[in-house]
């Protein structure tokens, strides 16, 4: 007996620990949940090429994974896209120009590629965490490259120091207005997505795909980009290291370092007792 048929988990800061690993306890809890008939899916802001290998490492060889805040949803086994959304050509250029005005370090993402206008320590950390390599574009602004080459942009992102994050997020949100979805996936990342492409839309897509009512869906996360997803589902969980906005609407479980995902699955989703 399980209380939620579909469990959606953020990855960084939620399922994965600061050393980049997923604990054996979390792996066992996911395996137990799936053995009981539950459907487990990762929903992340990462690129699809970054998250697919990590999901497969969990022993999940079937099912779906949501990347780019849910703009891309793919089959874990084959990588085939079931959902593939992105900016319009003009929208992607405008999103990049907003970030270029507000922050010196900007990324743009196509379906499979990452471009950065800077090669610095922040990028080195990002590449190591995500297991991807950026193409450095220094001869022109990223917005100009996107426009010249007609690139289909899926996401635009700015990297900044935690002390600047709140102010940059506010200014970017004001500049974007209602045309885009602006969020933060950590205290050093500000992201712009096409309007309507957020983790709530991913949750609703997965709910419909698996024929699981939203009240029978649970979700867990740690950052502002997880808020739409958690607000929309029946089971709401936030790890102890989560932003306060999440903890205000969700059941708080131990941190990502203390197996919060496993705790939520064991105690609330499966009601499994443990010593």
């Amino acid at each position: 007996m399980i209380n939620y048929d579909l469990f959606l988990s953020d990855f960084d800061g939620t399922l994965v620990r600061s050393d980049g690993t997923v604990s054996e306890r979390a792996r066992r809890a996911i395996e137990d949940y799936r053995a009981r008939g539950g459907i487990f899916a990762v929903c992340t802001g990462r690129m699809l090429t970054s998250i697919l290998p990590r999901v497969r490492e969990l022993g999940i060889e079937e099912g779906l994974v949501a990347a780019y805040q849910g703009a891309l949803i793919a089959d874990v086994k084959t990588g085939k896209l079931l959902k593939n959304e992105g900016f319009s050509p003009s929208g992607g250029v405008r999103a990049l120009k907003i970030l270029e005005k507000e922050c010196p370090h900007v990324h743009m993402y196509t379906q499979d590629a990452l471009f950065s206008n800077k090669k610095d320590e922040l990028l080195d950390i990002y590449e190591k965490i995500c297991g991807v390599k950026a193409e450095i574009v220094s001869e022109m602004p990223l917005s100009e490259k996107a426009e010249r080459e007609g690139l289909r942009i899926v996401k635009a992102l700015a990297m900044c120091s935690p002390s600047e994050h709140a102010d940059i997020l506010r200014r970017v949100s004001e500049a974007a207005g209602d045309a885009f979805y602006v969020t933060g996936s950590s205290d050093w990342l500000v992201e712009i997505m096409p309007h309507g492409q957020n983790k709530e839309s991913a949750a609703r897509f997965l709910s419909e795909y698996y024929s699981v009512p939203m009240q029978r869906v649970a979700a867990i996360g740690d950052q502002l980009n997880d808020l739409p997803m958690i607000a929309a589902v029946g089971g709401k969980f936030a790890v102890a290291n989560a932003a306060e906005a999440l903890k205000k609407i969700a059941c708080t479980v131990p941190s990502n370092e203390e197996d919060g995902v496993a705790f939520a699955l064991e105690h609330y989703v499966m009601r499994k007792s443990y010593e």
Side-chain angles (χ1 to χ4, degrees), residues 41-230:
V42 170
C43 188
T44 178
R46 285 195 187 201
M47 301 173 66
L48 183 60
T49 52
S50 172
I51 196 59
L52 262 180
R54 300 305 310 270
V55 171
R56 291 166 179 161
E57 286 173 13
L58 297 173
I60 299 174
E61 298 178 354
E62 297 178 348
L64 304 183
V65 60
Y68 284 136
Q69 314 294 359
L72 269 59
I73 296 181
D75 181 272
V76 173
K77 185 176 183 179
T78 65
K80 179 183 177 182
L81 290 171
L82 283 77
K83 182 173 187 268
N84 186 5
E85 303 290 345
F87 290 102
S88 67
S90 60
V93 170
R94 183 186 168 201
L96 288 164
K97 286 183 176 180
I98 290 172
L99 293 180
E100 287 166 345
K101 180 180 178 182
E102 301 296 344
C103 193
H105 190 154
V106 177
H107 293 177
M108 71 175 178
Y109 300 78
T110 61
Q111 180 179 315
D112 300 311
L114 160 63
F115 302 85
S116 175
N117 66 349
K118 274 186 177 292
K119 177 64 174 174
D120 57 15
E121 185 178 359
L122 275 180
L123 180 63
D124 291 341
I125 294 170
Y126 183 89
E127 289 177 326
K128 183 177 180 180
I129 290 172
C130 295
V132 296
K133 282 291 182 181
E135 178 181 328
I136 307 302
V137 179
S138 56
E139 66 275 15
M140 68 182 80
L142 292 176
S143 57
E144 184 177 339
K145 180 178 178 66
E147 191 166 27
R148 280 190 182 188
E149 299 183 15
L151 299 178
R152 181 175 179 271
I153 307 303
V154 179
K155 181 174 81 169
L157 176 151
M159 305 186 79
C160 60
S161 69
S163 62
E164 300 173 301
H165 186 264
D167 190 45
I168 291 175
L169 182 63
R170 177 187 57 78
R171 296 201 310 266
V172 169
S173 297
E174 290 174 354
D178 296 330
F180 304 123
Y181 168 58
V182 179
T183 190
S185 56
S186 82
D187 61 2
W188 49 293
L189 301 176
V190 174
E191 303 186 18
I192 304 183
M193 296 294 302
H195 179 73
Q197 297 307 316
N198 58 32
K199 290 191 178 185
E200 178 185 351
S201 67
R204 294 192 182 279
F205 182 98
L206 294 167
S207 168
E208 182 176 348
Y209 180 85
Y210 288 114
S211 299
V212 176
M214 289 292 281
Q215 281 302 111
R216 296 286 298 176
V217 180
I220 187 168
D222 73 310
Q223 287 291 339
L224 295 177
N225 62 321
D226 299 309
L227 188 59
M229 171 176 71
I230 291 172

Side-chain angles (χ1 to χ4, degrees), residues 226-241:
D226 299 309
L227 188 59
M229 171 176 71
I230 291 172
V233 300
K236 309 174 192 294
F237 301 98
V239 286
N241 50 294

Side-chain angles (χ1 to χ4, degrees), residues 13 15-21 129 256-257:
L15 179 59
V16 70
R17 299 177 292 193
S18 59
D19 64 358
T21 63
I129 290 172
N256 65 317
E257 302 292 342

